[in-house]
Amino acid sequence: MIDLTTTLSNLKLDNPIIPASGTFGYGVEMAELYDLNILGSISIKGTTQNARYGNDLPRIAESSSGVINSVGLQNPGIEKVINYELPNLAKIFHKPVIANISGFSVEEYVYCAERVDKISNVGLIEVNVSCPNVHGGGLAFGVDCEKVAEVTKAVKKVTTKPIYIKLSPNVTDIVSIAKSAEQAGADGLSLINTLLAMRIDIKTRKPILANVMGGLSGAAIFPVALRMVYQVHKAVKIPVIGMGGISKAEDVIEMMLAGASAVQIGAANLIDPLICKSIIEKLPELCERLGIKKLSDIIGAA
Amino acid sequence: MIDLTTTLSNLKLDNPIIPASGTFGYGVEMAELYDLNILGSISIKGTTQNARYGNDLPRIAESSSGVINSVGLQNPGIEKVINYELPNLAKIFHKPVIANISGFSVEEYVYCAERVDKISNVGLIEVNVSCPNVHGGGLAFGVDCEKVAEVTKAVKKVTTKPIYIKLSPNVTDIVSIAKSAEQAGADGLSLINTLLAMRIDIKTRKPILANVMGGLSGAAIFPVALRMVYQVHKAVKIPVIGMGGISKAEDVIEMMLAGASAVQIGAANLIDPLICKSIIEKLPELCERLGIKKLSDIIGAA
Amino acid sequence: MRELVFTIQKNQLIAKHMFNFVLTGDTSDIMKPGQFVNIQVPGFFLRRPFSVCDWRENELTLIYKVVGNGTEALSKMSAGQELSILSGLGNGYELREIKNPFIIGGGAGVPPLYGLAKRLVEKNITPKIILGFNNSDEIFYVNEFKSLGLEVTVTTLDGSYGVKGLVTDVIDNCEYAYVCGPLPMLKAVHKKVSDGQFSFEARMGCGFGVCMGCSVKIKDGYKRICKDGPVLNYSEILWDEI
Amino acid sequence: MRELVFTIQKNQLIAKHMFNFVLTGDTSDIMKPGQFVNIQVPGFFLRRPFSVCDWRENELTLIYKVVGNGTEALSKMSAGQELSILSGLGNGYELREIKNPFIIGGGAGVPPLYGLAKRLVEKNITPKIILGFNNSDEIFYVNEFKSLGLEVTVTTLDGSYGVKGLVTDVIDNCEYAYVCGPLPMLKAVHKKVSDGQFSFEARMGCGFGVCMGCSVKIKDGYKRICKDGPVLNYSEILWDEI
Ligand SMILES: Cc1cc2nc3c(=O)[nH]c(=O)nc-3n(C[C@H](O)[C@H](O)[C@H](O)COP(=O)(O)OP(=O)(O)OC[C@H]3O[C@@H](n4cnc5c(N)ncnc54)[C@H](O)[C@@H]3O)c2cc1C
Ligand SMILES: Cc1cc2nc3c(=O)[nH]c(=O)nc-3n(C[C@H](O)[C@H](O)[C@H](O)COP(=O)(O)OP(=O)(O)OC[C@H]3O[C@@H](n4cnc5c(N)ncnc54)[C@H](O)[C@@H]3O)c2cc1C
Ligand SMILES: Cc1cc2nc3c(=O)[nH]c(=O)nc-3n(C[C@H](O)[C@H](O)[C@H](O)COP(=O)(O)O)c2cc1C
Ligand SMILES: Cc1cc2nc3c(=O)[nH]c(=O)nc-3n(C[C@H](O)[C@H](O)[C@H](O)COP(=O)(O)O)c2cc1C
Ligand code: FES
Ligand code: FES
């Protein structure tokens, strides 16, 4: 028997496969297709303090091996997530979940973190620092070491569960941002979020997305994500959840070799809703073939 | 008749199609396949002061819709380029070429720029600031506004031909770097160079590239390149040469709508050596279909 | 919803840029006309959504228009080739017990209305059919609707067939309409009818409700075109915002 | 070099993971054994290089081993399917007027040596053939070499066929060798022979000399495996650096 278990801080996962925030809703649609309890965990759609409709349509554009989204954090707000979505998910998924939270100010992050920290089926809090920092002029929190540290410290102060900071890849030096988060007390890191991108409709001569720009994800970004996970893992001591373009079991192995303790699967869910299941089913055989007995042994082995 | 001409500073091109530096050698191999004189121009392989062998093999890895290279600026050095490669190219290509130069210090950039400035078939000098800055600790010149400005000013001082600064996409804020180059006197900008990326061999558990990391290019990066060209075009007044993942005539239109005055085609040459020819042949028909009479009219129209 | 493999049986040009696409496979997830399927076209990242035009056991008919690279690639595929399809997506039209509804379609919006008309007829309802096209080259399925025994009015923009003008020019005294077509047509039609069901399009990430890529505001919150739609009710639609 | 379309004629498993791949198309760009072609496998960004095993007018034979995703996909293709191929790449072996050369191959390096042996025989040269494999499951083309009237020595690592051991165990008194195989084999062989031509592999960006992806240092500068190789001469190779 191949051992697929892995650990994120105090959270033990049956396997490293976690659907990524924003690509799995709150699980109910996917539960029509398969028993979600085979998953390592689930990262829920990013939650903000108040309900958000998000950006205007179109919100989706396509590219070679990728999808660009400008959903803009549509979510029902923290109260509804806590009172409705999370209990609902608890009925179909009997393991701790990852609560992904977002904010447009430090106070909003703190508010959301404090609220989800008390929820029993939340095992880990993932703090998405890729939202534009409205107080600080619109660039994302996640591109600035000090802002990342500030958010991390503030969130740590009000929580007891492991805090994972989800980093933006749209930066010159991912390593120094990762280190800032670590020094500020982050228990782990999630990377990467989407790459800032856009498409133009050559017939209308206008950007395809109503929001003009959006985030690129999918297989296209895998080698960039892998590079960042590799660099960050080498530079920090806290665990890293690796994501970005993972679409097959081989990619999971590669991402773990780069240093990921677990992985998230995003865009691939959209085009193949059974992808997480297929990967989990394929992992033992692949490990066997590669001479891996305990999957967590290979974390950062490259 | 559709007018495909476009202008880069004082350089008038018959069409906007330019093979990108490093993906077309010095033209001789491609000349076996077609008459290069159909091209708008050619950007030659990046030249450094001294001959460089570059990095160890393997230097090439693949990804979904992309290729990662760590060639490491193999080139015969500026003297041989000037005395052998450029005159050779002049025999088969009878238009001004783009001399792409690189350096590991400001002095090296200056040396190379001064030398190529005197060569008659050089129409424009493209300064690749993506090389690691050995004096400044190894991060590329191109990720730092001040360094970019310094290189630009120094190169402008010793040259008479248009100077285009080729920007690295591995930055938090491409716009401020573009503006620094403009303020320092750049006549135009080329973007983007490759995205820092890597792959790991899951059998050997080691990075595929001997150099560990390399640069991702090809269709995978098109929406990131398009976004950067769009942002930079909106922020500067000087012309932009757009590149990154262009692989068909439609991509050329899209890149020009985003703000490119001309485009370069890189990785696509490697997998389809006839791609530049095909695109040039397809452009008139496509323009016709899209109601474009003069291609340069659409620059930045999105 | 299920992920299934279908085999192409027929892929035939039936009007300008318009293909009749017949596939063999398990259709048991399709419950209602107006539902759609999401097709993985080889070489493209996202799936392409197409309304079910008609279905029976083991046979699915779609009609698609070549508008971009994905549909272009689809048009080059041939009988025997297999496709991964997410079947049984969306809510579909609810078959209301209204005696003489209108069915109003435009261009690439016509396909689902055929499956709808057929099923209304099976319920002894006799819809009045109004179909709008740009010109005579683009007309398709008029005879198929007629074969159901229905009265069909065709409009063309240039008058090259049927009534010259828009579908809205021939809608008269309509209490209830089943509608599918481009957004400007839907908006124009809503002003001419008192009630009805309208099928919408949106660029989709997933097509089954998890990505929020297709979410539109309605009077009482929002709906996902892919999961809560594509068919929305007249009264819930925010006509000024959509 | 030309970009051409070839049609698959045969794609047949002939040993463990090893496929005999026969294609129909214009072979006029292939001049010498040891040259290679670069195949666009649908769904993959880079082309895949394979040595020409044999060729005649309108027919190209390759032999490939399934080692990764691209060759896996190739192995699933079938007769009638078309492939974009860059044909006539690389320098190939120079056919030297040496009476009794050795031809030494290992595993997936054997294919080009068959085309070479055939053409040497046509020139009345009688090479001695030494082929090394891991075990009997992986052996292929031994009979084809024998059919040329040549003496063939086979080694297997596990002794399951022929001589147990490595090709180097059976090289005796070799003045000139044509060699193709994995790098460790090439290195080992060079120590047992006085002169010869060695065919190398490298991960390639282009395969026709423009990207410098495959450049190796040699005694007098560098050579691109794809354009100046894949066949290098014994004397120019930097055996300690390669
Ligand atoms: C619920 C639904 C039902 C549909 N039913 C039909 C049908 O029965 N017949 C038919 O001809 N067309 C139908 N469409 C439209 C069809 O999905 C698009 O024409 C098709 O996706 C275009 O793909 P492409 O690759 O050719 O275009 P491209 O422009 O190259 O596609 C690029 C991206 O944009 C998306 N896209 C482009 N146009 C549309 C559009 N109008 N709607 C949604 N996504 C789009 C594509 O899916 C793809 O993700 C339907 C759309 C939806 C949402
Ligand atoms: C000049 C030349 C001649 C060759 N002739 C033959 C032959 O006749 N028969 C045969 O079975 N194999 C041959 N090879 C090796 C063959 O090219 C690889 O096995 C093949 O590219 C692997 O593709 P993949 O997608 O299955 O592997 P993957 O590992 O999935 O490929 C990933 C990338 O690495 C490259 N790559 C992987 N292994 C090699 C390799 N050994 N050499 C070069 N590139 C590699 C691929 O081309 C691709 O770009 C030759 C290689 C070269 C350079
Ligand atoms: C439609 C969509 C919505 C997303 N929403 C969120 C979100 O709410 N919060 C977040 O942290 N990341 C969000 N992401 C980013 C993903 O969680 C993931 O980091 C990214 O897509 C890279 O992984 P992938 O290439 O596997 O998709 C979203 C991605 C997509 C495609
Ligand atoms: C093999 C290879 C070598 C390259 N060498 C250079 C170089 O010497 N100088 C340079 O400025 N850019 C170099 N580039 C970058 C390209 O010129 C181009 O900016 C980049 O590849 C993005 O375009 P593409 O996606 O069309 O390839 C190289 C790219 C590749 C793939
Ligand atoms: S397309 Fe994903 S929710 Fe509708
Ligand atoms: S592979 Fe491009 S030069 Fe050899």
Side-chain angles (χ1 to χ4, degrees):
Chain A
M1 266 295 290
I2 311 286
D3 179 355
L4 297 182
T5 60
T6 190
T7 309
L8 293 173
S9 304
N10 58 23
L11 204 65
K12 185 144 174 154
L13 308 183
D14 294 334
N15 63 62
I17 307 302
I18 307 167
S21 178
T23 64
F24 212 75
Y26 299 97
V28 278
E29 294 81 10
M30 291 296 195
E32 283 181 38
L33 285 174
Y34 63 94
D35 179 357
L36 303 187
N37 291 293
I38 60 167
L39 298 166
S41 182
I42 294 173
S43 177
I44 61 165
K45 174 69 194 172
T47 305
T48 52
Q49 183 164 357
N50 300 311
R52 281 176 58 84
Y53 165 67
N55 295 318
D56 285 342
L57 299 195
R59 294 175 174 183
I60 298 285
E62 191 195 36
S63 67
S64 215
S65 299
V67 54
I68 307 166
N69 89 81
S70 59
V71 167
L73 286 170
Q74 173 166 2
N75 79 91
I78 191 91
E79 290 313 317
K80 187 145 182 229
V81 168
I82 285 176
N83 297 320
Y84 176 78
E85 303 292 358
L86 283 172
N88 229 17
L89 181 53
K91 284 183 221 150
I92 48 178
F93 183 64
H94 312 129
K95 302 179 182 179
V97 303
I98 299 181
N100 181 291
I101 60 167
S102 276
F104 294 85
S105 65
V106 177
E107 299 73 41
E108 187 173 359
Y109 281 110
V110 168
Y111 181 88
C112 294
E114 198 167 6
R115 296 285 286 118
V116 292
D117 195 55
K118 302 193 173 64
I119 308 305
S120 62
N121 65 325
V122 169
L124 189 155
I125 300 170
E126 186 171 59
V127 183
N128 174 15
V129 290
S130 305
C131 321
N133 168 11
V134 274
H135 299 191
L139 263 193
F141 279 97
V143 304
D144 184 272
C145 288
E146 280 163 42
K147 276 282 154 210
V148 167
E150 189 186 340
V151 171
T152 308
K153 276 185 201 147
V155 165
K156 274 302 284 179
K157 226 175 262 169
V158 297
T159 51
T160 57
K161 298 193 166 157
I163 297 296
Y164 277 51
I165 307 295
K166 181 161 173 182
L167 305 183
S168 162
N170 302 298
V171 298
T172 307
D173 185 3
I174 190 89
V175 167
S176 52
I177 297 193
K179 281 182 172 167
S180 297
E182 181 180 40
Q183 276 154 22
D187 300 289
L189 301 166
S190 286
L191 58 150
I192 59 174
N193 212 311
T194 53
L195 290 171
L196 197 56
M198 76 181 283
R199 291 299 304 273
I200 294 166
D201 184 328
I202 60 171
K203 287 179 198 154
T204 63
R205 302 189 190 176
K206 294 275 158 271
I208 287 180
L209 301 173
N211 194 48
V212 181
M213 291 176 227
L216 175 67
S217 63
I221 71 169
F222 180 70
V224 174
L226 192 85
R227 181 265 293 183
M228 290 187 166
V229 167
Y230 180 87
Q231 289 180 311
V232 166
H233 170 77
K234 285 232 178 306
V236 301
K237 295 201 174 57
I238 51 181
V240 172
I241 307 179
M243 74 198 76
I246 294 177
S247 29
K248 50 186 193 294
E250 286 83 353
D251 298 343
V252 174
I253 304 289
E254 206 171 323
M255 195 55 100
M256 293 184 74
L257 285 167
S261 292
V263 302
Q264 288 184 18
I265 297 183
N269 287 302
L270 309 186
I271 50 177
D272 180 1
L274 293 169
I275 189 72
C276 289
K277 182 171 191 275
S278 315
I279 289 178
I280 291 166
E281 283 166 2
K282 194 160 181 222
L283 272 177
E285 170 207 323
L286 179 61
C287 286
E288 182 96 44
R289 186 142 48 88
L290 295 169
I292 300 166
K293 290 212 172 58
K294 189 168 157 45
L295 188 50
S296 60
D297 285 347
I298 69 164
I299 296 167
Chain B
M1 266 297 290
I2 312 285
D3 178 356
L4 297 181
T5 60
T6 191
T7 309
L8 293 173
S9 303
N10 59 23
L11 205 64
K12 186 148 173 148
L13 309 183
D14 294 335
N15 64 61
I17 308 302
I18 307 167
S21 177
T23 64
F24 212 76
Y26 299 97
V28 278
E29 293 82 8
M30 291 295 195
E32 282 180 38
L33 285 175
Y34 63 94
D35 178 358
L36 303 187
N37 291 292
I38 60 166
L39 298 166
S41 181
I42 294 172
S43 177
I44 60 166
K45 174 71 194 170
T47 306
T48 51
Q49 183 163 357
N50 300 312
R52 281 177 58 84
Y53 165 67
N55 294 319
D56 285 343
L57 299 197
R59 295 176 175 182
I60 299 285
E62 192 195 33
S63 67
S64 215
S65 300
V67 54
I68 308 166
N69 89 82
S70 60
V71 168
L73 287 170
Q74 173 167 1
N75 79 91
I78 190 91
E79 291 312 316
K80 185 140 182 232
V81 168
I82 286 176
N83 297 321
Y84 176 78
E85 302 293 358
L86 283 173
N88 231 16
L89 180 52
K91 284 182 218 150
I92 48 177
F93 182 64
H94 310 127
K95 302 178 182 180
V97 303
I98 298 181
N100 182 292
I101 59 167
S102 278
F104 295 84
S105 66
V106 177
E107 300 73 40
E108 187 173 0
Y109 281 110
V110 168
Y111 181 88
C112 292
E114 198 167 7
R115 296 286 285 119
V116 290
D117 194 56
K118 301 194 175 65
I119 308 305
S120 60
N121 65 326
V122 169
L124 190 154
I125 300 170
E126 186 171 59
V127 182
N128 174 15
V129 291
S130 306
C131 320
N133 169 11
V134 275
H135 299 191
L139 264 194
F141 279 97
V143 304
D144 183 273
C145 288
E146 279 162 43
K147 275 283 156 210
V148 167
E150 189 186 341
V151 171
T152 308
K153 277 185 201 148
V155 165
K156 274 302 285 180
K157 226 176 258 168
V158 297
T159 50
T160 57
K161 296 192 167 157
I163 297 297
Y164 278 52
I165 306 296
K166 181 161 176 181
L167 304 183
S168 163
N170 303 299
V171 297
T172 307
D173 185 4
I174 190 89
V175 167
S176 53
I177 297 192
K179 281 182 172 168
S180 298
E182 181 180 39
Q183 277 153 21
D187 299 289
L189 301 166
S190 287
L191 58 148
I192 59 175
N193 212 313
T194 54
L195 290 171
L196 198 57
M198 77 181 282
R199 291 298 306 271
I200 293 165
D201 185 328
I202 61 173
K203 288 179 200 156
T204 63
R205 304 187 189 177
K206 292 276 156 274
I208 287 180
L209 301 174
N211 194 50
V212 181
M213 291 176 228
L216 174 66
S217 62
I221 71 168
F222 180 70
V224 175
L226 193 84
R227 182 265 294 183
M228 291 188 165
V229 168
Y230 180 87
Q231 290 180 310
V232 166
H233 171 77
K234 286 231 180 305
V236 301
K237 295 200 175 59
I238 50 181
V240 171
I241 306 179
M243 72 198 78
I246 294 176
S247 28
K248 50 186 192 295
E250 285 82 354
D251 299 343
V252 174
I253 303 289
E254 206 172 323
M255 195 55 99
M256 291 184 76
L257 285 168
S261 292
V263 302
Q264 288 184 15
I265 297 180
N269 287 303
L270 309 185
I271 50 178
D272 178 1
L274 292 170
I275 190 69
C276 290
K277 182 169 190 276
S278 315
I279 290 179
I280 291 167
E281 283 164 2
K282 193 156 181 226
L283 272 177
E285 172 206 321
L286 179 60
C287 286
E288 183 95 43
R289 187 142 48 87
L290 295 169
I292 300 166
K293 289 210 174 59
K294 190 167 156 47
L295 187 50
S296 59
D297 285 347
I298 70 165
I299 297 166
Chain C
M1 192 232 317
R2 262 192 308 162
E3 197 174 333
L4 299 166
V5 173
F6 279 73
T7 307
I8 301 176
Q9 197 181 306
K10 212 190 285 183
N11 193 10
Q12 200 171 27
L13 190 74
I14 54 168
K16 194 171 164 199
H17 302 313
M18 218 75 209
F19 286 76
N20 193 42
F21 199 43
V22 185
L23 300 130
T24 309
D26 182 350
T27 55
S28 59
D29 300 85
I30 302 166
M31 302 297 171
K32 283 190 195 171
Q35 284 190 292
F36 69 98
V37 299
N38 216 355
I39 303 188
Q40 185 74 71
V41 185
F44 294 85
F45 193 73
L46 294 176
R47 289 171 183 265
R48 292 331 192 230
F50 299 100
S51 298
V52 171
C53 168
D54 198 10
W55 76 102
R56 54 180 194 194
E57 212 187 318
N58 262 326
E59 191 181 275
L60 172 65
T61 302
L62 311 175
I63 296 177
Y64 66 87
K65 182 173 180 176
V66 173
V67 298
N69 291 324
T71 45
E72 170 93 32
L74 208 56
S75 74
K76 301 220 163 102
M77 296 189 74
S78 43
Q81 289 189 270
E82 294 185 339
L83 288 168
S84 160
I85 288 186
L86 292 178
S87 179
L89 303 179
N91 58 354
Y93 290 102
E94 196 194 330
L95 272 59
R96 299 280 293 268
E97 294 293 344
I98 289 163
K99 271 285 149 270
N100 294 107
F102 280 52
I103 283 186
I104 305 168
V110 169
L113 300 174
Y114 175 72
L116 170 68
K118 200 169 166 182
R119 274 147 196 93
L120 287 175
V121 169
E122 281 167 13
K123 290 184 69 152
N124 283 321
I125 292 168
T126 312
K128 189 172 174 272
I129 314 290
I130 300 176
L131 306 176
F133 299 96
N134 286 318
N135 57 56
S136 60
D137 292 353
E138 300 186 3
I139 293 176
F140 62 93
Y141 258 53
V142 170
N143 289 333
E144 280 78 356
F145 280 98
K146 286 186 180 161
S147 302
L148 298 175
L150 299 173
E151 183 195 323
V152 183
T153 307
V154 175
T155 65
T156 53
L157 262 184
D158 66 352
S160 53
Y161 185 99
V163 181
K164 179 170 171 156
L166 300 163
V167 288
T168 41
D169 297 332
V170 296
I171 302 175
D172 209 16
N173 208 355
C174 170
E175 274 178 28
Y176 199 88
Y178 298 93
V179 196
C180 187
L183 188 58
M185 187 197 108
L186 301 185
K187 288 189 173 192
V189 168
H190 113 269
K191 294 187 182 153
K192 304 277 282 183
V193 305
S194 321
D195 197 0
Q197 296 175 51
F198 292 74
S199 181
F200 287 82
E201 287 186 356
R203 292 196 177 233
M204 291 181 174
C206 62
F208 47 89
V210 300
C211 77
M212 300 295 132
C214 65
S215 189
V216 295
K217 278 188 198 152
I218 56 158
K219 286 193 181 137
D220 182 27
Y222 70 86
K223 278 199 166 177
R224 294 159 299 180
I225 293 294
C226 71
K227 181 84 182 176
D228 314 309
V231 180
L232 304 185
N233 280 312
Y234 180 97
S235 56
E236 67 185 338
I237 299 162
L238 289 169
W239 285 106
D240 294 333
E241 290 196 30
I242 206 152
Chain D
M1 191 233 317
R2 262 192 309 161
E3 196 173 332
L4 298 166
V5 174
F6 278 73
T7 308
I8 300 175
Q9 198 182 305
K10 211 188 287 181
N11 192 10
Q12 200 171 27
L13 189 74
I14 54 169
K16 192 171 165 202
H17 303 312
M18 217 75 206
F19 286 76
N20 193 40
F21 199 44
V22 185
L23 300 129
T24 310
D26 182 350
T27 55
S28 59
D29 300 86
I30 303 166
M31 303 296 171
K32 284 190 194 170
Q35 284 189 293
F36 69 98
V37 298
N38 215 354
I39 302 188
Q40 184 74 71
V41 185
F44 293 86
F45 193 74
L46 294 177
R47 290 171 181 265
R48 300 307 195 249
F50 298 101
S51 298
V52 170
C53 169
D54 199 10
W55 77 100
R56 56 180 191 191
E57 211 187 317
N58 263 325
E59 191 181 275
L60 172 64
T61 302
L62 311 175
I63 295 177
Y64 66 86
K65 183 171 181 179
V66 173
V67 299
N69 291 323
T71 43
E72 170 91 35
L74 209 55
S75 74
K76 303 222 162 101
M77 295 188 76
S78 45
Q81 288 188 271
E82 295 186 337
L83 287 168
S84 160
I85 288 186
L86 291 177
S87 177
L89 303 178
N91 59 353
Y93 290 103
E94 197 194 329
L95 272 60
R96 299 277 294 267
E97 294 294 344
I98 287 163
K99 272 282 151 274
N100 295 107
F102 279 52
I103 282 185
I104 305 167
V110 169
L113 300 174
Y114 174 72
L116 170 68
K118 199 168 167 183
R119 275 148 195 93
L120 287 175
V121 169
E122 280 167 12
K123 290 185 68 150
N124 284 321
I125 292 167
T126 310
K128 188 169 178 276
I129 313 291
I130 300 175
L131 306 177
F133 299 95
N134 285 318
N135 58 55
S136 61
D137 292 352
E138 301 185 3
I139 292 176
F140 62 94
Y141 258 53
V142 170
N143 289 334
E144 281 78 354
F145 279 98
K146 286 186 177 159
S147 302
L148 298 174
L150 300 173
E151 181 195 326
V152 183
T153 308
V154 175
T155 66
T156 52
L157 262 183
D158 66 354
S160 53
Y161 186 99
V163 182
K164 178 168 173 159
L166 299 163
V167 288
T168 41
D169 297 333
V170 295
I171 301 173
D172 208 17
N173 206 356
C174 170
E175 274 179 25
Y176 199 89
Y178 298 92
V179 196
C180 187
L183 188 58
M185 185 197 111
L186 301 185
K187 288 190 175 193
V189 168
H190 111 270
K191 294 188 181 149
K192 303 279 281 183
V193 305
S194 321
D195 196 0
Q197 297 174 50
F198 293 74
S199 182
F200 287 82
E201 288 185 358
R203 293 197 176 232
M204 290 181 177
C206 63
F208 47 88
V210 301
C211 78
M212 301 295 132
C214 66
S215 191
V216 295
K217 278 188 198 152
I218 56 159
K219 288 198 177 134
D220 182 24
Y222 69 88
K223 278 197 169 178
R224 294 159 299 180
I225 293 295
C226 70
K227 181 83 183 176
D228 314 310
V231 180
L232 304 184
N233 278 312
Y234 181 96
S235 56
E236 66 186 337
I237 300 162
L238 290 168
W239 286 106
D240 294 333
E241 292 198 29
I242 208 153

